[in-house]
Amino acid sequence: MTDPRGETTAGPTSGADITAQVKEARRMAFGGYAADYHRARPGWSDETVRWMLGDPTEPVDVLDLGCGTGKGTLSLVGLGHRVIGVDPSAAMLEVLHAQPELAEVPIHVAGAEAMPLADGSVDAITCFQAWHWVDPEVAGPECVRVCRPGGILGMAWHRPDRSVPWVVELDRIAERTDMGKGGEPLAVAGFDPFQEREFAYRHTVSVDTLVATVASWSHVAISPRREKILAAVRALGETVAGSTAAGTVDFPYVTEAVRARRS
């Protein structure tokens, strides 16, 4: 098979191996286009971030897990919190540190399964759009280890708002099958049951940025049909933008957020 860098690797020997290799390829694909990812992806509202942290009344120590290029980190720092970033992609972290507001944020190239942080070193852990990439059976105990008793684990995902017809058409064109966190209710051993909340979020973008957004979706990044998909996305974007006075695309999201307190 071919990995995101175009290098040929040995073929898998079973269906389980294929699934694992594809997931790993998608998880690490982001580093190859970190700057484009940062330009295209939506940010996070302060309302969402405050809720994820348990609505603290003063600054706290936060681990931003899977922080990537710092979309969530920027919100955390803007709210006055002391933040440490952890991500497996050095390229993504370079983009994070290139932002003046985040230049002093301590960062570590590491995965959620082995975090280079001391026991009980943070009051809260955030994970924006990234928990589905980790091994929860290993990452869960790591979160318990680094989080102080009574601390918060908060996660959030942006999901395109599929009540809007053109967004449904975008999913079809982009051959998207991952429609949110889905599955069984989320649970992490060592934390209380998760509370859930949804927030509305809108990201106004140009047609070029809409195309870049879809290009940043991991399954599109490694798809052999990538160029055909993006051409069709551009055509759809031009149609949607042409119906607005500003000539832009108002991309609607539903932000699914959860939080749980360390037992």
Side-chain angles (χ1 to χ4, degrees):
M1 63 181 293
T2 301
D3 75 6
R5 299 180 303 274
E7 299 169 355
T8 301
T9 59
T13 57
S14 71
D17 289 336
I18 291 172
T19 300
Q21 289 193 21
V22 169
K23 181 175 181 178
E24 180 65 10
R26 289 179 61 182
R27 183 175 77 94
M28 297 305 294
F30 303 115
Y33 49 90
D36 288 342
Y37 176 101
H38 183 73
R39 176 173 63 88
R41 287 295 180 105
W44 301 87
S45 72
D46 287 349
E47 181 186 15
T48 299
V49 175
R50 288 191 188 97
W51 185 87
M52 289 169 63
L53 295 175
D55 299 305
T57 57
E58 59 185 28
V60 296
D61 296 317
V62 184
L63 163 62
D64 192 11
L65 182 59
C67 59
T69 64
K71 287 288 187 175
T73 317
L74 188 62
S75 294
L76 291 164
V77 169
L79 290 170
H81 300 298
R82 300 174 294 272
V83 188
I84 301 169
V86 170
D87 196 273
S89 171
M92 300 283 273
L93 291 174
E94 287 179 7
V95 175
L96 182 153
H97 252 187
Q99 300 166 67
E101 305 94 329
L102 304 181
E104 302 302 319
V105 171
I107 55 174
H108 300 278
V109 180
E113 297 80 7
M115 294 184 280
L117 274 72
D119 295 359
S121 54
V122 297
D123 301 301
I125 301 169
T126 55
C127 190
F128 296 93
Q129 206 84 23
W131 186 258
H132 50 287
W133 296 122
V134 312
D135 178 348
E137 293 188 2
V138 182
E142 274 289 271
C143 289
V144 172
R145 181 183 68 79
V146 303
C147 190
R148 294 168 186 146
I152 292 286
L153 172 59
M155 308 179 195
W157 293 262
H158 283 315
R159 171 173 57 80
D161 185 350
R162 295 180 179 90
S163 69
V164 178
W166 77 260
V167 174
V168 176
E169 176 64 8
L170 180 68
D171 278 341
R172 185 193 67 79
I173 290 171
E175 302 173 358
R176 188 165 189 167
T177 58
D178 50 337
M179 300 301 189
K181 62 184 186 296
E184 296 298 318
L186 184 64
V188 176
F191 289 85
D192 292 341
F194 279 92
Q195 299 173 284
E196 300 184 10
R197 187 168 169 183
E198 289 189 349
F199 301 84
Y201 188 92
R202 290 187 176 271
H203 191 208
T204 300
V205 298
S206 66
V207 173
D208 285 346
T209 301
L210 176 66
V211 174
T213 299
V214 176
S216 78
W217 292 350
S218 59
H219 75 283
V220 174
I222 65 172
S223 172
R225 290 175 35 79
R226 182 176 184 273
E227 295 308 317
K228 290 184 178 180
I229 289 172
L230 296 182
V233 170
R234 180 173 296 280
L236 175 63
E238 289 173 348
T239 298
V240 175
S243 66
T244 68
T248 56
V249 177
D250 194 17
F251 200 146
Y253 290 94
V254 175
T255 304
E256 299 173 337
V258 299
R259 68 183 184 189
R261 193 167 297 277
R262 188 185 181 290
S263 304

